[in-house]
Amino acid sequence: LPEELTYSFLTVFLWTCIFHMIHVMPSQKRTNKHSSSGRLTELSENDGKTLHRTKRGWMWNQFFLLEEYTGPDTQYVGKLHTDQDKGDGNLKYILTGDGAGSLFIIDENTGDIHAAKKLDREEKSLYVLRAKAIDRKTGRQVEPESEFIIKIHDINDNEPKFTKDIYTASIPEMSRVGTSVIQVTATDADDANYGNSAKVVYSILQGQPYFSVDPETGVIKTALPDMSRENREQYQVVIQAKDMGGQMGGLSGTTTVNITLTDVNDNPPRFPQSTYQFSSPESAPPGTRLGRIKANDPDVGENAEIQYSISNGDGSDMFDIVTDKDTQEGIIIVKKQLDFESKMLYTLRVEATNMHPDPRFLQLGPFKDTALLKISVEDIDEPPVFSRPWYLIEVDEDVKEGSIIGQVVAQDPDRTKNAIKYSVDRHTDLDRVFNIYSGNGSLFISKPLDREETPWHNITIIATEINNPKQSSQIPVFIRILDINDHAPEFSKYYETFVCENAKAGQLIQTVSAVDKDEPPRGHRFFFELVPEFAVHPNFSIVDNKGAREKLWTICHYYYSEECAKIKIILMSFK
C-alpha cells in the first residue's frame, strides 16, 4: 500500500506540473498553433470549391508517463483538447499509432488518455501516436491529424548486472601495492540520462585487506605488499555494483573474482639436513647409484629447477652427482672402482643451485645451499688377485721332466688374507704336460717338450681361497718352447739328376737345397760335400750358390763319363 500511494502521489504531482506548464506556455509553443490573424484558404483538387479553414487549436504538449505503475486505477496520461471544442459533445477524439486501443485508451468525448497496462521503459521508452478531432455531424476533421509522443519516464527497477558471473585472474606474487589485477564491468538497464538510476558504484564485499576496487572503473588492485604464493595461492574476491550512485535504496548486483598468485623465484633451495650418509660395497661398478638427496624449494616450475654439483672433498674423483629433471633430486653415482683396503670413508661437499634466479630477489641471499656427504665403503670377500694380468714363461725344449719353469703369485686382497691354493685348468692342458705346486704356484714339467711339434702352450692357472672355495680367479700363462739343435739337416726333396754325354765341363746340371727343423735366431748355414767314395776322382763337383737362407749348392760336370751318373752328397749344417 505505501508503494502504491507513492506512485499515485508522483503521478498527480507530475501531471499538475505538466498542465501548469501547458497553460502558462506562450501560444507559439503549442503544437501546430497559428496566430489568430492567420486564416488559410485552399482549393480542393476534387471539386474546385474554395474551402475556408479555421485556425488550429490543438492543446497539448509532449506527454510523460511513469513505468511500472502498480496503482489500483489506470494511469492517467493526459488530455487531448482543441479550442474548437465548445463542450457540447459535438466533437469526437480519435487516437491512432503505437499502442492505441491496447496500451493507450482515449475517451472520445473528453480526449482524456489513460494507460491500460503497466509499461516497461526498458522494453520501449517512447510511443508515437496521432490524434484526430472529428465533427460528429459532418464527419469532417476540425483539426488536421497531428502527431505527439508519450515518453516513459524511468524508475529504478533494474539492478546492475556484471558481464560475467565469475571472473578469473592471476597476478605474480610479491607484486607492489596498487598493481592492477583485472577490471570488472556492470551495466544497468535503467536510463542513464535520467536521474541516478543507472549510475553504478563498485565496492568490495569480500577480499580485504588483500585487494581493493576502484569505485568508478571497477579495476581491482593489490592492497597488501609482499603477498606470497607459498603462504596463500588462491583468493576469492566478491565485488558489488550498486546503482543510484551507491546511495541508500539503490539496487545492487555482485560477482565473484577468483584470483591466483603466480610463482616468482623468491625462494632459494635449502637442504633439510646438513649431513647425509651413504654406503657402497667396494664391488660396486662405475655407474652404480648409491642414493638421492633433495634440496627443498617452495617455488614451482622452472623457478624450482635445481642443479647439483660436488664443490670439494676427498672423493670428487670417485663419485659424481647428477640432477633428476623430473623430481629435482640429486643422484649420487659411483664414478670409479672402489677399494675398501685403500680407503674406507669419503667426505664430499655437494651444492644445490637455482638454475633461474630472479635478479629482483637476490638481496634475499644466495640462491644456493651446501651439505656434507659422507660415503663409507663396505668390505666384501673378494677373489684372489694375481700379481700380473698374464704371465709369459720361456723354457728350453730339452728341459728335464720335473723341472720348475716359472711361478705365478696371487693373494687375497681382503684384510683377512686367506691362504691360496693353485691348480691347472685341465681343459687348457689335456695332455697334462704341466703341473703346479698348489702351495706356492710353481710350475713344473710333467712330460717331455718338443718345440718342433708344439712351439707354444697356453694354459690357465686357477687361484682359490682355501677357506672359501667360491672365491677364485684365473690367469692365462703363455709358455714358449725355446729351440735347441737336436735335428740333422735334410734335403728338401728327393733329387734324381740326368746329364747328357756331350755335357761340357762346368755345366750346371742340378741345384739342391736343404732344410732343418730347428730354428736358431740367425737362421741355418748348410755345408754340402760329396760322400767320400765319390770324392777321390770325382766327375762332379759342388759349388756354394750363396745368397739364400738355405744355402744352395751346384753340381757341376767337369769331364766326360758314362751316359748317366749317380752321386751322393753329404749335407751338414752349423749355427
Side-chain angles (χ1 to χ4, degrees):
L1 182 59
E3 183 178 347
E4 294 177 355
L5 290 175
T6 300
Y7 277 110
S8 298
F9 173 76
L10 289 174
T11 303
V12 172
F13 175 76
L14 178 61
W15 282 115
T16 301
C17 295
I18 291 172
F19 285 123
H20 175 74
M21 291 173 64
I22 292 173
H23 288 292
V24 300
M25 189 180 299
S27 61
Q28 64 267 24
K29 293 294 184 178
R30 299 181 181 180
T31 306
N32 297 330
K33 182 72 176 178
H34 291 276
S35 63
S36 60
S37 62
R39 283 186 177 274
L40 296 177
T41 60
E42 58 183 20
L43 182 64
S44 171
E45 294 180 357
N46 295 328
D47 52 16
K49 296 180 181 181
T50 302
L51 299 177
H52 295 278
R53 183 178 175 185
T54 59
K55 62 182 179 180
R56 297 177 180 177
W58 283 118
M59 303 286 290
W60 71 70
N61 202 338
Q62 179 171 270
F63 294 127
F64 295 92
L65 187 64
L66 288 176
E67 66 169 335
E68 304 292 349
Y69 175 74
T70 58
D73 300 321
T74 57
Q75 187 178 186
Y76 182 71
V77 178
K79 185 181 185 68
L80 293 179
H81 184 73
T82 174
D83 55 6
Q84 299 296 320
D85 190 350
K86 304 303 182 181
D88 54 5
N90 190 41
L91 293 182
K92 177 183 179 180
Y93 292 97
I94 299 174
L95 188 64
T96 60
D98 292 343
S102 58
L103 295 179
F104 302 104
I105 306 299
I106 189 169
D107 186 325
E108 64 180 19
N109 295 319
T110 64
D112 291 323
I113 303 172
H114 289 79
K117 297 180 180 179
K118 182 174 65 173
L119 301 176
D120 186 355
R121 187 201 68 84
E122 285 70 44
E123 291 183 3
K124 192 173 179 64
S125 61
L126 60 86
Y127 295 84
V128 179
L129 296 101
R130 293 177 296 279
K132 295 178 183 180
I134 306 296
D135 190 317
R136 290 179 183 274
K137 294 179 180 179
T138 64
R140 294 177 179 272
Q141 293 185 171
V142 298
E143 291 286 352
E145 183 179 77
S146 183
E147 185 177 273
F148 67 97
I149 294 174
I150 298 177
K151 186 174 182 181
I152 310 302
H153 264 184
D154 185 46
I155 65 171
N156 189 20
D157 60 341
N158 290 279
E159 73 277 4
K161 293 184 178 180
F162 284 92
T163 56
K164 294 181 180 180
D165 293 332
I166 297 178
Y167 290 83
T168 301
S170 62
I171 188 172
E173 62 174 331
M174 308 299 287
S175 295
R176 294 181 178 179
V177 173
T179 302
S180 295
V181 180
I182 191 175
Q183 183 178 26
V184 297
T185 303
T187 57
D188 194 313
D190 293 323
D191 190 354
N193 299 316
Y194 181 74
N196 291 328
S197 296
K199 185 177 181 181
V200 176
V201 172
Y202 300 94
S203 61
I204 184 166
L205 300 182
Q206 176 183 315
Q208 294 175 321
Y210 308 102
F211 300 94
S212 64
V213 64
D214 189 297
E216 295 184 0
T217 64
V219 174
I220 299 174
K221 300 179 180 180
T222 57
L224 280 183
D226 302 332
M227 295 175 63
S228 174
R229 183 200 66 83
E230 290 72 34
N231 294 334
R232 182 176 176 182
E233 184 175 5
Q234 300 289 338
Y235 294 84
Q236 189 173 76
V237 179
V238 178
I239 302 296
Q240 180 189 71
K242 191 173 184 180
D243 60 15
M244 298 297 292
Q247 298 301 315
M248 290 284 292
L251 302 178
S252 64
T254 61
T255 188
T256 300
V257 184
N258 293 324
I259 301 175
T260 302
L261 295 186
T262 58
D263 188 57
V264 298
N265 194 3
D266 59 337
N267 291 282
R270 289 290 180 262
F271 284 107
Q273 57 193 75
S274 59
T275 303
Y276 294 85
Q277 292 186 344
F278 294 92
S279 62
S280 172
E282 62 178 332
S283 60
T288 300
R289 298 186 175 191
L290 301 183
R292 295 169 176 255
I293 60 174
K294 189 177 192 316
N296 297 327
D297 190 331
D299 296 322
V300 294
E302 71 171 18
N303 294 327
E305 291 181 1
I306 299 174
Q307 181 68 45
Y308 295 90
S309 61
I310 297 176
S311 57
N312 55 55
D314 58 1
S316 57
D317 59 333
M318 302 300 294
F319 301 93
D320 199 3
I321 184 170
V322 297
T323 304
D324 187 326
K325 300 299 183 182
D326 296 327
T327 63
Q328 298 303 312
E329 294 175 306
I331 306 174
I332 312 301
I333 297 178
V334 176
K335 190 175 180 181
K336 292 183 179 180
Q337 187 67 52
L338 303 173
D339 185 9
F340 172 83
E341 288 71 31
S342 299
K343 190 173 180 62
M344 295 180 292
L345 179 65
Y346 293 89
T347 301
L348 306 170
R349 184 163 293 278
V350 294
E351 184 174 89
T353 307
N354 260 153
M355 296 184 65
H356 307 282
D358 192 326
R360 296 175 297 172
F361 305 105
L362 293 179
Q363 74 276 4
L364 299 178
F367 276 68
K368 61 183 179 180
D369 196 19
T370 61
L372 202 62
L373 191 65
K374 294 184 177 181
I375 303 175
S376 58
V377 181
E378 298 175 350
D379 187 26
I380 62 170
D381 190 4
E382 298 177 87
V385 177
F386 285 92
S387 60
R388 301 178 187 176
W390 49 272
Y391 289 86
L392 172 63
I393 298 176
E394 294 182 337
V395 57
D396 291 333
E397 63 177 326
D398 62 347
V399 66
K400 294 181 179 181
E401 295 179 27
S403 299
I404 295 176
I405 60 173
Q407 184 181 23
V408 297
V409 177
Q411 64 178 0
D412 182 6
D414 301 317
R415 288 194 168 186
T416 55
K417 300 299 180 185
N418 290 328
I420 304 297
K421 67 176 181 179
Y422 302 91
S423 61
V424 177
D425 183 355
R426 291 305 173 187
H427 293 92
T428 62
D429 184 25
L430 297 176
D431 295 332
R432 295 181 174 270
V433 178
F434 303 96
N435 214 330
I436 191 169
Y437 290 107
S438 62
N440 60 14
S442 297
L443 281 167
F444 61 92
I445 300 298
S446 298
K447 292 182 178 181
L449 304 176
D450 187 353
R451 187 204 66 84
E452 287 72 34
E453 181 179 347
T454 308
W456 284 91
H457 293 268
N458 300 328
I459 64 174
T460 298
I461 301 300
I462 302 173
T464 306
E465 291 184 14
I466 295 177
N467 294 336
N468 187 5
K470 293 183 179 180
Q471 295 294 343
S472 63
S473 298
Q474 297 181 348
I475 197 75
V477 178
F478 307 105
I479 302 173
R480 180 183 180 185
I481 309 303
L482 301 178
D483 184 45
I484 62 171
N485 193 8
D486 58 345
H487 290 84
E490 299 175 355
F491 286 101
S492 57
K493 66 178 182 178
Y494 172 75
Y495 294 97
E496 186 174 3
T497 303
F498 299 90
V499 62
C500 297
E501 61 179 342
N502 58 353
K504 297 180 180 179
Q507 181 177 338
L508 175 64
I509 60 174
Q510 181 68 58
T511 299
V512 297
S513 62
V515 295
D516 194 322
K517 292 181 180 180
D518 297 322
E519 192 176 22
R522 301 187 186 89
H524 294 287
R525 291 199 58 174
F526 299 110
F527 176 77
F528 296 84
E529 65 178 3
L530 294 174
V531 294
E533 58 266 30
F534 292 97
V536 179
H537 299 290
N539 291 329
F540 301 91
S541 63
I542 298 175
V543 180
D544 188 357
N545 199 25
K546 298 181 180 180
R549 184 167 180 262
E550 290 144 350
K551 300 304 178 178
L552 304 179
W553 293 77
T554 303
I555 303 175
C556 299
H557 177 226
Y558 279 88
Y559 54 88
Y560 172 76
S561 182
E562 297 94 353
E563 287 186 7
C564 295
K566 293 183 179 181
I567 61 173
K568 292 182 179 180
I569 302 174
I570 296 175
L571 178 61
M572 299 177 65
S573 69
F574 57 91
K575 299 178 182 179

